[in-house]
Amino acid sequence: MPATIRDVARLAGVSPSTVSRALSMPGVVNPTTRARVMAAADTLGYAPNKAARGLITGRTGNIGLVVPDLANPFFPSVVKGVQARAGESDVSVFVADSDENATTEIGLVRALAKQVDGMILCSPRASDHELIGLAQETNVVLINRLVEGVPAVTFDNREAMRLAVDHLVALGHRRIAWVGGPKTSWSNKQRMIGLVAAANDNRVEVAPVGWFQPSYDGGIAAADQVVAKRATAVVAYNDLVAIGLLSRLHARGISVPDDLSVVGVDDIAMSRMAHPALTTVRLPKQKSGRLAVELMLGLLEDRDPGSISLRATLHGELMVRASTGVAPDPARP
């Protein structure tokens, strides 16, 4: 007969409920106890039956993850972090792409909520009011978005902009263009606030260009307006936009960084492959996914809300590459 959870509990000297927690949510079990349970399960050849466990616990053993655009290299890195941490707790992940559409996003959450124990929303496009409503319908954890009362993992977007501005100021730049992302994006608003604050502190000018799609084509569309601003440097909403800028600037014969320095945000893999290699602020994308799962597991364990943190803030790191240089001499023809 196949080994049962009671057989494992008897051999490990613990209760069946402890065995269940050790196998499904190891982070909440004492490491020594978990090691005993794992050794007993290995000895007996025990493999938990997720369907049977679901009948007992009322859980599916699944979580959902919705991202705005899987074609954006930022989001697959988050997905990898979510899947890696979920896998460690024997939790499956259903991934969906909302195509940057808030209505689609809400529909996906409500459809998946019937099949999962909770939903992780990365850079959600829905309004605060809509997200609060979803959090009342199912367990919700946010990544790269803050909404009152909803657990979240965020990046310090304002600090990221300060890193970029301080770097450019140190190179002598006094007028910096800003290419924004989607107008309704929470992180776009936070980055704009951080950029203006850092510029004011350094007594340099900010020349806003507008709001663009967070994509390579968005950067292409913004480039001519950036040139018209007569700035010596530009900070882009993300790396994809910055790489689009590099392409269009090259086509116009504008040298980077001799004529114009370019900075992105995210540090996606292709930022190192761009020509010139892109200076950017690296954000810990995979770590954000792992932490979001940690928050979700805490919610699913029904721990006392006062015993778990509802917020985790991650910090960026400036990666200096060839796309930034000393500001051009104003007297140069």
Side-chain angles (χ1 to χ4, degrees):
M1 292 288 290
T4 68
I5 194 170
R6 294 184 181 280
D7 296 328
V8 176
R10 191 177 302 113
L11 182 58
V14 298
S15 69
S17 61
T18 298
V19 173
S20 178
R21 284 195 297 272
L23 295 175
S24 63
M25 297 181 181
V28 304
V29 177
N30 179 282
T32 303
T33 301
R34 180 171 183 268
R36 266 203 337 269
V37 170
M38 297 304 290
D42 186 58
T43 298
L44 297 171
Y46 173 74
N49 184 309
K50 292 183 77 171
R53 187 170 66 201
L55 290 174
I56 297 170
T57 64
R59 296 180 188 163
T60 65
N62 308 317
I63 58 175
L65 171 63
V66 178
V67 300
D69 182 11
L70 279 171
N72 183 332
F74 176 90
F75 296 111
S77 295
V78 176
V79 173
K80 286 181 71 69
V82 169
Q83 290 183 323
R85 179 60 188 90
E88 292 170 7
S89 294
D90 195 28
V91 173
S92 299
V93 182
F94 297 166
V95 181
D97 184 331
S98 69
D99 198 27
E100 297 280 357
N101 186 293
T103 301
T104 301
E105 181 177 81
I106 294 168
L108 286 170
V109 172
R110 288 187 168 138
L112 285 172
K114 303 170 186 176
Q115 307 169 59
V116 301
D117 300 319
M119 294 294 305
I120 296 174
L121 309 183
C122 186
S123 301
R125 302 314 188 201
S127 69
D128 287 7
H129 175 74
E130 290 167 328
L131 292 172
I132 290 171
L134 292 175
Q136 293 171 345
E137 298 175 24
T138 187
N139 294 307
V140 170
V141 172
L142 306 178
I143 299 177
N144 199 29
R145 177 75 175 270
L146 272 182
V147 174
E148 185 65 32
V150 183
V153 180
T154 59
F155 304 104
D156 193 332
N157 287 290
R158 300 187 189 190
E159 177 190 67
M161 291 295 98
R162 184 166 294 277
L163 291 173
V165 171
D166 287 351
H167 169 64
L168 293 172
V169 170
L171 292 172
H173 296 279
R174 310 302 299 172
R175 182 170 169 82
I176 301 170
W178 160 247
V179 177
K183 189 174 183 179
T184 58
S185 164
W186 178 83
S187 59
N188 180 72
K189 184 180 296 183
Q190 296 300 308
R191 290 173 189 177
M192 179 67 178
I193 291 171
L195 182 79
V196 171
N200 288 341
D201 289 346
N202 284 285
R203 297 183 180 180
V204 298
E205 290 182 77
V206 173
V209 175
W211 298 280
F212 295 86
Q213 286 299 307
S215 63
Y216 176 87
D217 288 340
I220 294 284
D224 292 338
Q225 295 181 49
V226 169
V227 174
K229 293 291 183 179
R230 298 191 177 277
T232 60
V234 56
V235 178
Y237 169 74
N238 67 12
D239 285 355
L240 283 178
V241 173
I243 293 169
L245 286 170
L246 291 177
S247 177
R248 176 60 181 159
L249 292 172
H250 176 74
R252 288 193 51 173
I254 296 169
S255 175
V256 175
D258 293 338
D259 300 324
L260 184 68
S261 288
V262 179
V263 180
V265 182
D266 290 343
D267 193 32
I268 59 176
M270 66 179 67
S271 66
R272 297 184 290 277
M273 308 171 199
H275 183 73
L278 181 66
T279 293
T280 184
V281 180
R282 173 182 291 169
L283 299 180
K285 300 171 284 296
Q286 288 197 35
K287 187 175 182 180
S288 73
R290 294 186 65 89
L291 285 176
V293 176
E294 292 280 359
L295 289 180
M296 180 61 72
L297 294 178
L299 290 178
L300 297 180
E301 275 295 288
D302 295 324
R303 297 183 214 166
D304 177 358
S307 70
I308 62 173
S309 172
L310 294 179
R311 296 281 187 269
T313 302
L314 300 176
H315 301 278
E317 176 186 5
L318 181 69
M319 310 303 296
V320 179
R321 300 192 180 109
S323 70
T324 52
V326 175
D329 184 346
R332 191 182 69 186

